[in-house]
Amino acid sequence: MRVGRAVAGVAAVTLVLSLGGHSAGYAAPDPAVAFLTADAGLGYVREMTAGYATAVAEAGVRHTEAGPPIGDTARQLGMLEDLRREGRNGLAVFTWTPELLSGPMAATGEAGTPVIAVYSPPAEGSGVKLYVGNDNFALGEMLADQVASLLPRDAAGVVVLGTAVPGVQALDQRIAGLRSRLPRVRPGVRLLGPFDTKQDPAANLKSWELLVRSDPRALGFVGTGDRDARSLARLRNQSAGTWIAGGFGLDDIAVQAVRNGGYALVSPEPYVQGAIAGWLLAEHAKRNFPLPAGWIPTPAIPVTPSNAEMIMARQASTKRRADDARVVVRDVVSDLAGHLLPLSAAR
């Protein structure tokens, strides 16, 4: 059940606005917005960034996308300070370390630049009132069902869990959802971990190689992010064993592994996350669209053998991704109150 509460005026404005629409009586002079990310080299971060940039560009607003190529919080802090000094009309932030960025994010808001948190819920003290991101606990449950579909009902044994960034709330919630759901639908399955599988691509692959080698009788191996999904897909392609694997993301090797069988995958749809945040900030900067307060849960989809080819075709087409995302964005922004949950419920 959705419990929505938008700021005053949202309902009226959303009746007027659609993608590319206008609200009367306000036009900011040469507005500009920005998106600050962590790990800009990751596939799903590039997806978020592309969705954001496309939505903002369609609104005719100048935009900047920035972020360190790896999880470097010190560099991200420096980039945040630079963007704040530039006096942007709006800023979206994805960070693995919301607590460490909470002070500068609060200062940004106090200086008059609205801030939206994307992917990771904002920390207390950041002053951020709006979060756009998945229900990660539900994503974990969704992947659990996909994994269960690959196992016999009477399966008995171990499934090993790994996470590339231990302690990050979004990824920890995916593990919690897996732990809550998988043993209920496959009572004979015991979960081990999560083990730290590292962010660096080579280290991540090596970590999973060691885990697979350490428990060759395991039923399967499941990770929480793009790097895990890619590494596990590569290892399963090379393996003569019968173990299954699972993960999150839209990595092309992982999607192909789904088509090959024995691989479970859930897409958090990061392009849509970025597009929603971009649309909201662009419309606020250009037309004073009132930003709501709360959490906008964004959709996720299971990748299955029946839809894998369609997803691969979508991902190969810039236009197709933008067109599909535009439908979701329009649905959300036309009824923001109906899509909002309290920020305290974000998980």
Side-chain angles (χ1 to χ4, degrees):
M1 177 180 180
R2 289 173 173 160
V3 183
R5 184 168 63 87
V7 295
V10 166
V13 177
T14 53
L15 289 174
V16 176
L17 287 172
S18 62
L19 285 180
H22 298 268
S23 60
Y26 181 88
D30 194 24
V33 297
F35 187 20
L36 176 64
T37 71
D39 292 279
L42 288 172
Y44 73 88
V45 179
R46 292 196 298 268
E47 280 284 293
M48 272 196 290
T49 303
Y52 176 90
T54 299
V56 174
E58 287 182 354
V61 172
R62 289 190 298 117
H63 55 97
T64 299
E65 292 77 41
I70 59 173
D72 187 334
T73 299
R75 285 190 65 184
Q76 194 178 30
L77 279 166
M79 290 177 173
L80 177 55
E81 293 290 351
D82 290 342
L83 290 170
R84 182 161 65 88
R85 281 194 295 269
E86 291 173 10
R88 302 278 168 169
N89 300 99
L91 177 65
V93 177
F94 156 53
T95 179
W96 289 124
T97 54
E99 294 81 8
L100 293 178
L101 265 66
S102 63
M105 288 170 75
T108 302
E110 289 165 2
T113 300
V115 181
I116 295 177
V118 183
Y119 189 90
S120 296
E124 289 187 21
S126 67
V128 175
K129 303 298 183 185
L130 178 60
Y131 165 53
V132 177
N134 296 122
D135 181 336
N136 285 285
F137 187 90
L139 260 66
E141 293 183 310
M142 186 182 293
L143 185 61
D145 286 335
Q146 295 299 106
V147 170
S149 71
L150 302 176
L151 296 170
R153 290 187 177 276
D154 60 352
V158 167
V159 169
V160 178
L161 305 178
T163 184
V165 197
V168 169
Q169 179 179 340
L171 303 187
D172 287 352
Q173 285 293 324
R174 293 179 186 180
I175 293 290
L178 279 158
R179 284 194 166 281
S180 173
R181 179 71 176 166
L182 190 54
R184 283 190 282 134
V185 293
R186 293 294 182 268
V189 171
R190 185 164 57 95
L191 299 175
L192 292 183
F195 298 94
D196 182 359
T197 52
K198 312 299 181 187
Q199 289 178 274
D200 175 77
N204 184 271
L205 180 60
K206 185 66 174 177
S207 296
W208 281 113
E209 285 176 339
L210 291 171
L211 288 169
V212 170
R213 195 156 54 235
S214 70
D215 200 341
R217 293 182 295 177
L219 296 172
F221 300 85
V222 177
T224 60
D226 273 30
R227 291 257 162 88
D228 299 316
R230 185 177 182 86
S231 294
L232 283 169
R234 289 177 62 184
L235 291 172
R236 195 173 189 288
N237 287 342
Q238 299 165 7
S239 173
T242 58
W243 53 271
I244 66 166
F248 297 89
L250 286 166
D251 180 87
D252 54 348
I253 295 177
V255 176
Q256 183 60 52
V258 172
R259 294 183 69 186
N260 295 342
Y263 196 94
L265 189 66
V266 167
S267 168
E269 297 294 87
Y271 191 101
V272 170
Q273 287 184 32
I276 291 172
W279 189 94
L280 290 167
L281 277 186
E283 292 298 327
H284 176 79
K286 190 172 185 178
R287 302 183 177 94
N288 205 27
F289 180 86
L291 295 175
W295 168 33
I296 301 176
T298 56
I301 57 172
V303 182
T304 66
S306 62
N307 70 5
E309 187 171 347
M310 178 274 291
I311 288 173
M312 292 175 73
R314 181 193 73 176
Q315 292 306 109
S317 167
T318 301
K319 182 179 184 301
R320 179 95 171 267
R321 281 185 296 161
D323 289 346
D324 286 2
R326 197 176 293 112
V327 173
V328 180
V329 175
R330 184 176 290 117
D331 174 67
V332 170
V333 302
S334 65
D335 182 22
L336 273 175
H339 284 85
L340 276 169
L341 292 174
L343 189 56
S344 59
R347 55 182 188 173

